[in-house]
């Protein structure tokens, strides 16, 4: 596991990642990656010649993928979506809202963030020095590195607050690096996204290569990440504008049936998704979502989210969860999250962004600007999703009511996709919602603690208040 204190930057010998990924050729005539799925194990980071580009790029995508599960855990387990039902201390802490700096999920997400940042920095330092790489390849791989560094820093800033701004692979520098203000990290995120957008490949409207369009970075999924960024930053005009660009691109389309989003990987709606197959499924790992939700039932949907998803407003989005009488015993309410199956069931991937979120971003941004009704109003965007879910149309018209409708719609639509806690914190609703959910809730839980191991290994790191 990587850390800013020691292990992250003892990374000349990179943490072993097994990555099976459906790999495509780059836009240039020089094909750096193969089209057939291959299994590659990246042991060392070496970038001295053109043949080294492929494994290092795959290492970057692998590290990026490593953030997905603990990021989902942060977003939904810290909030009001789950109750503890098992024996693991990490999930008891999250379920009972008694979170400590020694929690393994907290450490895992931090490690995933800085693994990704390290490799992104490595590529940006080394790739310009490698001769024989086409300019198109160089630009695309560098753009991917910038995007993923931006994404990692975005998650880090909204999860931990102030974090180290790591821009080099120099180990002495990184072993003793202090935290940088969240606002400065977010400025760097936007700079990375904008730089990446310039050189990422375009995708033609109507493209049917749904796996490639969701797996690999392109201009449209970069803009989708930027739409989320602008929403979080309360730049309502740019959030609306950027979400509209993604919606209007014609690259991604809403699934007709919501249940397809639960039961299938790589739908036409998926803008950014990390995938697994039979040979690299995380299986019974501590952060395997199927293991936590289904096999061990370590956590189960809270009674509150069960009620919300089974409401009339939610409609067919109740397919996110399922009930079994066999599980109904003791403190177990019998409900199970169904969005994360196994590789053989074709629904074990983790979706990071999908098109429905763009409608929700645009609805919230429009509502915040007072654009409430009419064809270009917030309510119209919400009703696109209500119609798909066969649920009653939103009919409220007052701004405060529309914003609450957006909040509810994000629960119905995005439940167990890792966004709830971040939503509550960014909208200043965490204290009201979470104190009603748990008597143990404390405002310090609006950020996660810096992992205790990092505090012990890096004397320049200071802990978040209250931990």
């Amino acid at each position: 596991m990587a850390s800013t204190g020691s292990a992250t930057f003892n990374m000349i010998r990179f943490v072993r990642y097994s990555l099976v990924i459906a790999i495509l050729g780059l836009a240039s005539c020089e094909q750096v990656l193969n089209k057939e799925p291959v299994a590659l194990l990246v042991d060392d980071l070496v970038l001295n010649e053109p043949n080294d580009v492929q494994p290092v790029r795959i290492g970057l995508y692998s590290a990026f993928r490593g953030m997905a599960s603990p990021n989902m855990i942060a977003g939904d387990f810290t909030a009001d979506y789950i109750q503890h039902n098992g024996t693991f201390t990490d999930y008891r802490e999250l379920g009972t809202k008694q979170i400590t700096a020694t929690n393994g999920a907290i450490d895992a997400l931090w490690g995933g963030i800085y693994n990704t940042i390290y490799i992104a920095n490595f590529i940006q330092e080394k790739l310009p020095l490698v001769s024989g790489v086409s300019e198109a390849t160089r630009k695309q791989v560098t753009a991917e590195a910038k995007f993923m560094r931006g994404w990692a820093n975005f998650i880090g800033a909204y999860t931990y607050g102030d974090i180290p701004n790591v821009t080099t692979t120099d180990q002495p520098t990184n072993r003793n690096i202090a935290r940088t203000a969240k606002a400065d990290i977010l400025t760097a995120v936007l700079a990375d996204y904008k730089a990446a957008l310039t050189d990422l490949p375009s995708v033609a409207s109507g493209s049917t290569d749904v796996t490639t369009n969701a797996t690999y970075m392109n201009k449209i999924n970069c803009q989708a990440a930027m739409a989320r960024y602008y929403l979080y930053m309360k730049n309502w005009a740019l959030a609306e504008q950027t979400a509209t660009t993604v919606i209007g691109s014609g690259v991604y389309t809403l699934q007709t049936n919501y249940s397809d989003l639960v039961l299938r990987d790589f739908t036409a709606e998926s803008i950014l998704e990390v995938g697994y197959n039979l040979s690299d499924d995380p299986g019974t790992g501590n952060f395997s979502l199927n293991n936590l939700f289904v096999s061990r039932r370590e956590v189960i949907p809270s009674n509150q989210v069960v009620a919300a998803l089974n409401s009339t407003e939610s409609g067919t989005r109740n397919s996110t969860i399922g009930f079994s009488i066999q599980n109904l015993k003791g403190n177990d309410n019998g409900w199970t999250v169904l969005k994360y199956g196994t590789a053989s069931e074709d629904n074990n991937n983790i979706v990071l962004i999908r098109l429905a979120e763009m409608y929700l971003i645009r609805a919230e941004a429009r509502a915040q600007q007072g654009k409430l009704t009419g064809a270009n109003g917030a309510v119209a965007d919400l009703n696109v999703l209500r119609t798909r879910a066969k649920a009653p149309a939103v009919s409220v018209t007052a701004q405060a009511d529309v914003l609450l409708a957006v909040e509810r719609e994000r629960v119905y639509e995005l439940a167990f996709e890792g966004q709830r806690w971040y939503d509550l914190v960014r909208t200043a609703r965490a204290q009201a919602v979470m104190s009603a959910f748990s008597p143990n809730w404390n405002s310090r839980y609006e950020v996660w603690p810096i992992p205790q191991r990092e505090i012990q290994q890096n004397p320049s790191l200071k802990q978040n208040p209250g931990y």
Side-chain angles (χ1 to χ4, degrees):
M1 185 64 62
S3 73
T4 52
S6 60
T8 295
F9 301 104
N10 289 324
M11 293 279 292
I12 296 302
R13 186 161 179 80
F14 179 57
V15 176
R16 301 187 76 185
Y17 279 102
S18 178
L19 173 62
V20 177
I21 192 166
I23 310 174
L24 62 140
L26 294 179
S28 67
C29 58
E30 175 192 355
Q31 293 212 340
V32 173
L33 302 182
N34 302 314
K35 289 191 176 183
E36 295 302 316
V38 296
L40 290 176
L41 186 65
V42 180
D43 292 297
D44 296 319
L45 283 180
V46 176
L47 190 48
N48 297 323
E49 58 182 66
N51 287 339
D52 296 332
V53 174
Q54 176 181 348
V56 172
R57 184 189 180 205
I58 292 173
L60 176 65
Y61 273 92
S62 180
F64 178 78
R65 185 180 66 164
M67 291 186 286
S69 179
N71 187 202
M72 203 292 295
I73 289 168
D76 286 348
F77 289 24
T78 316
D80 56 347
Y81 277 4
I82 60 106
Q83 58 194 55
H84 186 236
N85 192 54
T87 61
F88 289 176
T89 300
D90 290 344
Y91 302 107
R92 181 172 63 250
E93 288 185 4
L94 291 163
T96 61
K97 311 312 171 200
Q98 295 175 305
I99 302 166
T100 72
T102 59
N103 189 288
I106 289 168
D107 191 66
L109 180 55
W110 181 278
I113 288 168
Y114 284 103
N115 284 341
T116 303
I117 290 171
Y118 180 88
I119 303 177
N121 289 339
F122 181 85
I123 287 171
Q124 291 177 76
E125 290 173 3
K126 301 296 184 184
L127 189 55
L129 307 178
V130 180
S131 61
V133 178
S134 74
E135 187 64 15
T137 296
R138 196 185 310 275
K139 283 184 174 181
Q140 180 172 343
V141 174
T142 300
E144 290 172 330
K146 288 180 177 178
F147 175 89
M148 288 187 238
R149 183 175 66 183
W151 178 279
N153 274 319
F154 180 84
I155 292 170
Y158 279 104
T159 304
Y160 303 98
D162 300 347
I163 58 172
N165 186 22
V166 176
T167 59
T168 178
T169 60
D170 181 67
Q171 294 181 46
T173 299
N174 293 323
R175 284 197 186 104
N176 195 35
I177 188 168
R179 298 169 72 176
T180 294
K182 178 180 175 181
D184 293 335
I185 295 292
L186 293 172
T187 297
V189 169
L190 184 58
D192 273 343
Y193 282 170
K194 286 182 173 180
L197 183 62
T198 300
D199 289 327
L200 286 172
S202 301
V203 183
S205 177
S207 171
T208 58
D209 193 350
V210 294
T211 300
T212 296
N213 295 343
T215 300
Y216 294 95
M217 308 311 166
N218 60 59
K219 289 187 187 297
I220 303 301
N221 54 33
C222 181
Q223 288 171 308
M226 292 172 73
R228 184 188 291 181
Y229 174 93
Y230 290 131
L231 183 79
Y232 277 48
M233 295 294 288
K234 298 180 169 45
N235 189 331
W236 311 124
L238 280 177
E240 178 188 6
Q241 176 185 317
T242 312
T244 298
T245 297
V246 177
I247 293 167
S249 70
V251 174
Y252 306 97
T253 57
L254 290 176
Q255 290 293 123
T256 302
N257 298 313
Y258 187 86
S259 61
D260 288 343
L261 302 172
V262 178
L263 300 175
R264 288 175 46 199
D265 292 332
F266 292 122
T267 68
E269 185 169 329
S270 181
I271 294 175
L272 192 58
E273 179 170 337
V274 294
Y276 307 88
N277 66 16
L278 287 171
S279 64
D280 76 338
D281 182 63
T284 59
N286 286 348
F287 308 109
S288 160
L289 299 179
N290 179 262
N291 186 40
L292 296 175
F293 286 133
V294 181
S295 302
R296 286 187 54 87
R297 295 182 61 75
E298 187 68 31
V299 296
I300 56 177
S302 68
N303 293 330
Q304 287 85 341
V305 79
V306 167
L309 291 174
N310 282 308
S311 70
T312 302
E313 285 189 342
S314 176
T316 59
R317 291 171 290 196
N318 61 2
S319 59
T320 295
I321 55 176
F323 178 78
S324 170
I325 191 70
Q326 285 76 27
N327 291 327
L328 184 61
K329 53 192 173 185
N331 293 322
D332 194 323
N333 60 18
W335 290 91
T336 302
V337 176
L338 301 180
K339 278 186 174 174
Y340 301 100
T342 64
S344 60
E345 294 169 327
D346 190 34
N347 73 326
N348 71 322
N349 288 356
I350 300 176
V351 176
L352 303 179
I353 313 177
R354 56 187 176 85
L355 189 62
E357 185 189 346
M358 296 298 106
Y359 283 94
L360 291 166
I361 287 173
R362 191 168 70 177
E364 186 174 341
R366 285 174 166 175
Q368 290 286 2
Q369 297 174 89
K371 302 176 182 180
L372 302 171
T373 59
N376 294 318
V379 170
D381 281 331
L382 295 179
N383 283 334
V384 169
L385 303 181
R386 288 286 182 94
T387 299
R388 193 255 297 271
K390 298 178 174 58
V394 175
S395 58
V396 296
T397 57
Q399 184 182 46
D401 293 335
V402 173
L403 287 169
L404 285 174
V406 170
E407 181 180 301
R408 294 196 304 275
E409 203 67 18
R410 289 182 72 91
V411 172
Y412 308 143
E413 186 69 33
L414 303 176
F416 300 103
E417 294 181 28
Q419 303 218 35
R420 174 64 165 170
W421 175 56
Y422 297 105
D423 285 345
L424 292 174
V425 173
R426 70 178 176 80
T427 58
R429 291 271 294 152
Q431 190 61 29
V433 171
M434 294 306 302
S435 60
F437 176 75
S438 171
N440 294 327
W441 179 259
N442 187 290
S443 60
R444 67 174 174 269
Y445 300 140
E446 293 189 13
V447 290
W448 265 10
I450 306 300
Q452 185 61 30
R453 185 168 64 98
E454 304 299 325
I455 299 293
Q456 292 169 342
Q457 293 175 342
N458 180 351
S460 295
L461 282 181
K462 306 301 180 186
Q463 186 55 274
N464 281 323
Y467 287 104

